[in-house]
């Protein structure tokens, strides 16, 4: 049943560590600090957590070790998912399934990452574990996320006539949002001249097309909608969920390098929540690189294929526009917590706690994982303001 | 570049015959014995019809540019920036896309200025230096097609 999870569970606590370029601590410590903050935010007691779930790519502490460190004696659910940004909302969906089925009562989901000081994504030329296709990439010096997404994005840009200025406008509008966010790593203004003058990383990507690399952790606590009603914070309901989709250079069944997993996944996602794109008030799109925002605007049904750049140019994606996007500044300007900071921002918008960057009347939010290229899978959730 | 710096591929048990064929300057694909669909990278099961039986066949060695990137940042040891990586859509079957080096000028310094999406390419083979005692390794490098004749 497509709607079996609809409004059954809620996010009741959110915790962050500080964002930095060098945390100086282990990923276990980052995880525990964010989790402690999330427990406090929810108004729960230390001993209430009975489930743990995280995603990682061989770069962070195992879920079970975190459970031990939390002192959970009777662990009722654990998930330790291999995956990058595509898996971010999948962790939340899996936790919701565990809670909805009664396996566990309070599951904490987190991502803890020293992405700048300890383990830069592919930055050392080494492959993540479990990626057999790297043998076809490593010898050509084609390994890191910016290289792989540049390959994909170049084909997309060619298909739709997307220009450097179109990409620059994504970086600029998100920087504008980050300037209203005290947590954001990048809070100075960004102009088109700054963008165009920034150095090439891998054509067609300049420096400001690429996300930050951040040391940080974010944690979320999921429980049943029923239990959520008695807790401290206004609950944010997990209203729709979908994962899957996606393709890579190596899929051998997808000739098209210009679309995302959302072409398939969004239909299931909206059906699961019983809504359509017109009902979404704010979208937090996984934005490792600027073109992913344009592609998701199109493939999640907010505009026609190829029209994402025009939507951004018209101001629709800015706070105050028709569909505010990445209100925290996203991975490009807030910081990089591998998709989980996007979910946390969606929760804050639906709680109405975003201050200067609050989207008026936000009732329904979309939060997405990496849209399916490179990972070969994706995930996304629809969140709804609870009562 | 020195042999010790360049990252080498690590074949797995499915791909080893494909890598060994490259050393013989043969580019292979798998063909399903039931539905004739081609596939790459090497995998045991046809993802169209679910059949386990297959054979190796030689690829045409021709394709077109599906996309490319020009690397400016030094992402790791063993490469001199700028360098190009192409994604080549094979003429044999248009849903097979293969990454490889690009060898437009023939001297290994590339900025991609001569590339275009859809440009016809043909395969070339690069026998690279490997540490003594290691298995020989040959990589794919693609160059503009000299002739459109089949």
């Amino acid at each position: 049943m497509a709607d079996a999870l609809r409004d059954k569970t809620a996010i009741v606590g959110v915790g962050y560590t500080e964002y930095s370029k060098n945390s100086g601590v282990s990923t276990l410590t980052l995880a525990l600090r964010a989790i402690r903050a999330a427990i406090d935010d929810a108004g729960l007691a230390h001993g209430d957590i009975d489930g743990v779930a995280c995603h990682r790519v061989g770069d962070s502490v195992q879920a079970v070790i975190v459970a031990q460190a939390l002192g959970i004696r009777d662990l009722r659910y654990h998930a330790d998912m291999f995956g990058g940004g595509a898996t971010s909302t999948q962790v939340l969906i899996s936790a919701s399934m565990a809670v909805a089925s009664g396996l566990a009562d309070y599951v904490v989901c987190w991502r803890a990452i020293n992405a700048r000081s300890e383990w830069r994504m592919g930055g050392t030329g080494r492959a993540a574990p479990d990626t057999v296709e790297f043998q076809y990439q490593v010898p050509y010096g084609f390994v890191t996320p910016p290289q792989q997404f540049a390959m994909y994005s170049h084909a997309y840009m060619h298909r739709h006539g997307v220009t450097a200025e179109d990409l620059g406008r994504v970086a600029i509008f998100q920087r504008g949002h980050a300037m209203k966010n005290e947590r954001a790593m990048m809070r100075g203004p960004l102009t088109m001249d700054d963008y165009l003058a920034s150095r090439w990383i891998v054509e067609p990507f300049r420096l400001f097309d690429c996300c930050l690399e951040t040391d940080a952790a974010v944690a979320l606590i999921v429980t049943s909608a029923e239990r959520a009603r008695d807790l401290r914070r206004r609950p944010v309901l997990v209203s729709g969920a979908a994962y899957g989709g996606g393709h890579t250079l190596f899929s051998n069944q997808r000739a098209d390098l210009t679309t995302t997993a959302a072409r398939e996944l969004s239909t299931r996602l909206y059906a699961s929540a019983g809504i359509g794109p017109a009902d979404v008030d704010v979208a937090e799109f996984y934005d490792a690189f600027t073109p992913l925002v344009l592609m998701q605007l199109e493939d999640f049904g907010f505009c026609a294929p190829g029209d994402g750049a025009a939507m951004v140019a018209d101001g629709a994606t800015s706070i105050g526009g028709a569909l505010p996007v990445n209100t925290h500044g996203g991975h490009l300007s807030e910081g990089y917590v591998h998709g989980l900071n996007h979910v946390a921002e969606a929760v804050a918008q639906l709680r109405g706690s975003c201050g200067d960057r609050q989207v008026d009347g936000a009732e329904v939010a979309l939060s997405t994982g990496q849209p399916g290229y490179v990972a070969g899978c994706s995930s996304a959730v629809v969140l709804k303001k609870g009562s | 570049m020195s042999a010790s710096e360049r990252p080498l591929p690590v074949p797995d048990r499915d791909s080893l015959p494909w890598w060994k064929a490259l050393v013989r300057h043969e580019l292979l694909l798998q063909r399903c014995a039931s539905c004739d669909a081609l596939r790459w990278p090497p995998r045991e099961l046809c993802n169209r019809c679910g059949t386990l039986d297959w054979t190796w066949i030689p690829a045409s060695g021709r394709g077109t540019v599906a996309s490319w990137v020009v690397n400016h940042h030094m992402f790791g040891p063993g490469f001199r920036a700028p360098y190009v990586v192409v994604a080549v859509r094979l003429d044999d079957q248009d849903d097979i896309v293969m990454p490889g080096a690009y060898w437009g000028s023939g001297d290994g310094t590339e900025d991609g200025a001569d590339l275009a999406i859809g440009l016809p390419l043909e395969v070339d083979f690069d026998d690279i230096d490997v540490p003594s005692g290691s298995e020989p390794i040959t990589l794919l490098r693609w160059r503009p097609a000299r002739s459109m004749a089949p």
Side-chain angles (χ1 to χ4, degrees):
Chain A
M1 291 208 306
D3 60 354
L5 274 181
R6 187 188 302 170
D7 302 339
K8 296 286 197 297
T9 61
I11 299 169
V12 295
V14 175
Y16 292 87
T17 64
E18 67 169 6
Y19 288 21
S20 76
K21 291 182 177 178
N22 187 356
S23 69
V25 299
S26 68
T27 54
L28 172 59
T29 291
L30 287 176
L32 294 172
R33 287 176 180 172
I35 291 168
R36 182 67 248 181
I39 292 170
D40 291 343
D41 181 61
L44 290 168
H46 172 67
D48 290 333
I49 303 299
D50 60 0
V52 295
C54 71
H55 66 295
R56 59 199 182 92
V57 284
D59 59 357
S60 190
V61 63
Q62 299 95 309
V64 166
I65 289 178
V66 171
Q68 291 167 357
L70 287 170
I72 304 175
R73 290 177 179 276
D74 183 22
L75 182 63
R76 294 172 62 189
Y77 167 79
H78 61 96
D80 200 336
M81 296 190 185
F82 176 84
T87 312
S88 55
T89 60
Q90 186 180 345
V91 171
L92 170 62
I93 296 166
S94 178
S96 294
M97 288 160 58
V99 167
S101 70
L103 276 181
D105 290 341
Y106 295 97
V107 177
V108 64
C109 307
W110 72 90
R111 177 65 166 129
I113 184 170
N114 280 324
R116 185 66 180 79
S117 68
E118 253 191 328
W119 202 96
R120 302 182 74 176
M121 291 283 158
T124 58
R126 70 177 168 165
D130 290 352
T131 46
V132 68
E133 299 90 352
F134 266 69
Q135 65 186 292
Y136 309 113
Q137 301 174 223
V138 163
Y140 303 110
F142 179 62
V143 177
T144 65
Q147 294 171 295
Q148 298 189 70
F149 281 99
M151 188 70 85
Y152 178 54
S153 299
H154 195 182
Y156 164 79
M157 292 170 72
H158 177 264
R159 166 84 167 268
H160 294 298
V162 172
T163 65
E165 286 79 4
D166 290 330
L167 302 189
R169 276 186 277 273
V170 173
I172 290 165
F173 93 73
Q174 291 197 192
R175 181 63 63 84
H177 293 172
M179 289 168 69
K180 299 176 178 178
N181 175 6
E182 288 178 4
R183 186 178 297 113
M185 299 283 284
M186 302 294 278
R187 302 198 62 202
L190 179 70
T191 67
M192 186 61 80
D193 285 345
D194 296 334
Y195 168 82
L196 291 171
S198 68
R199 67 187 171 94
W200 285 118
I201 301 299
V202 47
E203 291 180 56
F205 290 166
R206 293 171 168 83
L207 179 66
F208 293 124
D209 290 305
C210 303
C211 67
L212 305 169
E213 295 169 293
T214 310
D215 289 7
V218 168
L220 311 167
I221 293 172
V222 180
T223 192
S224 67
E226 197 177 342
R227 276 183 221 98
R229 279 197 288 271
D230 299 326
L231 293 176
R232 202 175 137 209
R233 296 287 188 187
R234 176 194 283 271
V236 168
L237 299 170
V238 179
S239 200
Y243 55 82
H247 54 285
T248 75
L249 279 184
F250 310 101
S251 301
N252 194 25
Q253 56 188 4
R254 290 287 295 268
D256 186 359
L257 299 184
T258 66
T259 62
T260 72
R263 286 281 173 98
E264 299 102 45
L265 180 150
S266 60
T267 306
R268 285 188 277 124
L269 176 70
Y270 292 134
S272 73
I275 65 160
D279 300 309
V280 175
D281 299 313
V282 56
E284 312 296 356
F285 286 136
Y286 194 90
D287 60 330
F289 305 96
T290 50
L292 299 186
V293 172
L294 305 178
M295 298 172 90
Q296 290 177 91
L297 283 169
E298 297 164 16
D299 291 347
F300 278 101
F302 297 105
C303 62
D307 287 353
M311 207 174 153
V312 170
D314 290 347
T317 55
S318 298
I319 295 168
L323 180 74
V325 167
N326 291 346
T327 47
H328 50 335
H331 286 149
L332 297 174
S333 281
E334 185 194 65
Y336 179 78
V337 201
H338 232 169
L340 225 56
N341 53 324
H342 291 53
V343 181
E345 174 70 6
V347 169
Q349 286 288 349
L350 298 177
R351 285 177 173 178
S353 62
C354 282
D356 286 349
R357 66 179 196 281
Q358 180 63 44
V359 174
D360 290 339
E363 301 269 342
V364 176
L366 170 62
S367 184
T368 70
Q370 187 256 88
Y373 176 81
V374 177
C377 59
S378 185
S379 60
V381 290
V382 171
L383 304 179
K384 199 166 75 180
K385 185 179 194 170
S387 51
Chain B
M1 72 192 65
S2 80
S4 59
E5 280 188 335
R6 186 164 189 158
L8 297 175
V10 181
D12 63 71
R13 292 181 179 190
D14 292 320
S15 68
L16 190 59
W18 185 82
W19 284 107
K20 286 187 165 175
L22 282 191
V23 173
R24 303 190 303 267
H25 291 196
E26 295 172 24
L27 176 58
L28 299 183
L29 300 172
Q30 285 172 301
R31 184 172 63 197
C32 175
S34 177
C35 76
D36 288 339
L38 303 179
R39 62 182 186 266
W40 182 86
R43 290 169 187 173
E44 181 66 4
L45 184 80
C46 177
N47 71 353
R48 306 284 174 83
C49 75
T51 296
L52 283 164
D53 294 335
W54 56 272
T55 53
W56 291 113
I57 64 151
S60 69
R62 282 188 290 274
T64 54
V65 175
S67 188
W68 80 92
V69 299
V70 186
N71 300 278
H72 293 268
H73 183 76
M74 285 310 300
F75 291 102
F79 296 90
R80 266 183 312 169
Y83 65 94
V84 171
V85 179
V86 283
V88 182
R89 190 181 302 284
L90 298 196
D91 285 358
D92 308 79
Q93 188 173 293
D94 75 358
D95 60 7
I96 299 178
V97 179
M98 224 174 245
Y102 179 63
W103 202 247
S105 61
D107 66 1
T109 60
E110 305 294 343
D111 62 6
D114 54 338
L115 281 170
I117 304 268
L119 181 77
L121 300 178
E122 62 187 20
V123 76
D124 187 16
F125 299 92
D126 183 12
D127 302 318
I128 63 169
D129 295 333
V130 296
S132 62
S134 300
E135 291 292 319
I137 291 284
T138 298
L139 299 179
L140 294 169
R141 63 185 183 195
W142 297 83
R143 61 190 181 200
R146 283 173 291 200
S147 161
M148 296 301 290

